[in-house]
Amino acid sequence: MPTTARNGSFFPGAADLAARIDVLADRLSDGLKPLASIAYNYAWSWTRDGAAVFRDINPHRWELAGGNPVRFLGDLWPGTVEAAERNPALLERVQALSEEVGTYLERPDRPRPGVDGPVAFFCAEFGFHSSMPIYSGGLGVLAGDILKEASDQALPMIGIGLFYRRGYFRQRLDSAGRQQEYWVTNDPKSMPMVRVTGPDGAPLLLDVPLSGEPLYFQVWRVDVGRIPLLLLDSQVPENDAVQRWTTARLYDGSRAIRLAQYGLLGMGGMRALQALRIDPAVIHLNEGHPSLAVLELAASRVAQGATLADALAELRDRVVFTTHTPVAAGNETYSPDEFLGAFGDLPGRLGIDVSEFLRLSQSAPDGPPGMTPLALRVSGRRNGVSRLHGEVARRMWQPLFDLPEADVPIAHVTNGAHIPTFLGDPMYRLLTEHLGEGWLERAADPATWAGVHGVPNGELWAARRDSRERLVTYVRAKSQQDRLLRGEQIAYVRAIEDCLDPNALTLGFARRLATYKRLYLLTQDPDRARRILGGAQPVQLLISGKAHPNDEGGKDALQRVYNLKREDGEIAERVVFVEDYDLDVARHLVSGCDVWVNLPRKPMEASGTSGMKAAFNGVLQLSVLDGWWAEGFDGENGWGIPGDEDPDPGVADQRDATTFYDLLEHEVVPLFYERDAEGVPVRWCEKIKASLATNGPMFSATRMVDDYAAWMYPTR
Ligand SMILES: *Cc1c(COP(=O)(O)O)cnc(C)c1O
């Protein structure tokens, strides 16, 4: 029985996709066949019963497949397929899922006023599911959330990124607590993606001029709901080994490779759109990496006789640039030789001389070129990612615009997070009961969330307890596996069963372990940390995150936290480091903790989004008032650490660590353990409601995409 691809048949790659789906469907029994097309669109991953349907066919195999349904279905034993075919309840769920996803995908487009065509959303990384490891952290997850939300809102959009054959590194700790890195190869054959073919049926093969030679690439298509994501890939036989390495690793350690990646993403992305006859209404550059896309488009206008100045003036209206980096050092610069070595033929194609080309990418005369100044110059609308970050960006880039700081044309659109992805089942059920059917579509409206004030505390507390218990179960199972892999003593491996208390106040700290995130503040005063953790009112701490492979300081901080538990048997059961932070780990942590901790050095956290994900789940913040939390904290809906800037970072560290411990010891712990006769922490629950009612609407991806569609995308 042939199945049809309903993943937007208008779009290139649709026939390829239909063929792949048919091959997969042939392996399945009639009742399971609908799963073949579901597997090739990540919409299942944020549909409520989606993951559970796959898992319930065979939980062990689902885990082995890393949540990748194409690999999972392709590897099923015939006996498993037969057993599923004899399970009517399961087949009914397959049918219901198929109908839900089908209805979702088939809604008509909902174009926005002033946006006459698709938005081409360019980013160097996309994080939408752990089974597609082409992201490193917040930037990628945000990009993934924008695609998902655009899909939910039926906003026409196309994503453009790179397909990293080895993705981002995986993390393992050795028994001394030192981070080790390893890379796993992504195999497109067993992933939910198809190679885009040209009109002749052969795989599309394009090239971009890089380092004086053509770099060839092919194009993959991944469906993220209604949004096709095009991923460019230099792993083709026409390239030599070094050229093929261009898309091997995300943010490769070599500067020359990184420049080649940005060249491929920008110029190659635009060439792919042109080859597929897609004319975007808006070009959205998410961070500066893809900014050569605009120059590529300008070069085609110059080839038709326009001047560069005219071409850029005409394009600028259609280009949106979002900056995510609040420190100058975060915006990488290059020597003119490196820059011209990579992009040396652009000046000729743009009809300008080399110095004029360099000037486009310099933030100051004779300064080193970089992608961010270029993005600022070629875009007509620019934004930071929180109110505070907007201010910081205006101050930082004032010299480039030569205007008073307040007039620097950089606005802000505060980030948001995709609620359906990050909301755990217990809180989803509770909120759906009290906020009404369809509340997710109205998530940006504060009135939607007003309903939380009517939730009985007992019910709220039951959902929170359920969430925490699920997290404890997950962390125990994962840590036991981690310990086995590390070759720990079996007694220690078994001891995980006594680790963590499903009723104890649970703190979460999980993110990329960049130095400015100050993981080390947790152990700034080790004795005090031990006293709080080992106190009569139990507190437990879950930590997760990867340090950059070259960041020895980050690895040291990780090791210190790890050793905190090693040195002290009593708190060993109360501190767990969850290895290999990724979207899957994140989803579990943000839904099950009680308190989310974020201690960035102000103003380095442009936005931060993990705390938003936690907030939707009824998790309270205990965080520095930087990024989104500077905007979200109202004195009642969590706890804020002022974290004011200080010329001496050591002074700020000491002060902020003390405030953190003080708040934890004197406010957070007592409030959590203040219970009524039924064991419910009434005032804690009221705080959760205050947090949901305020943070829910403000930091949903729905509000974020509404803002982009209303303020940043319209071209007329
Ligand atoms: C949300 C998320 C991030 C970003 O979190 P921050 O709070 O911005 O650091 C990073 N990695 C993963 C896997 C995430 O889900």
Side-chain angles (χ1 to χ4, degrees), residues 354-374:
V354 165
S355 54
E356 204 175 332
F357 175 65
L358 286 175
R359 267 203 302 281
L360 274 173
S361 313
Q362 290 165 330
S363 58
D366 297 323
M371 305 310 278
T372 310
L374 179 61

Side-chain angles (χ1 to χ4, degrees), residues 507 528-541 564 570-571 574-575 664:
L507 313 182
R528 191 161 183 203
R530 281 198 196 91
R531 261 200 323 277
I532 297 172
L533 285 165
Q537 296 185 314
V539 178
Q540 56 197 11
L541 174 61
L564 186 68
E570 202 164 324
I571 63 165
R574 295 190 176 173
V575 181
L664 188 56

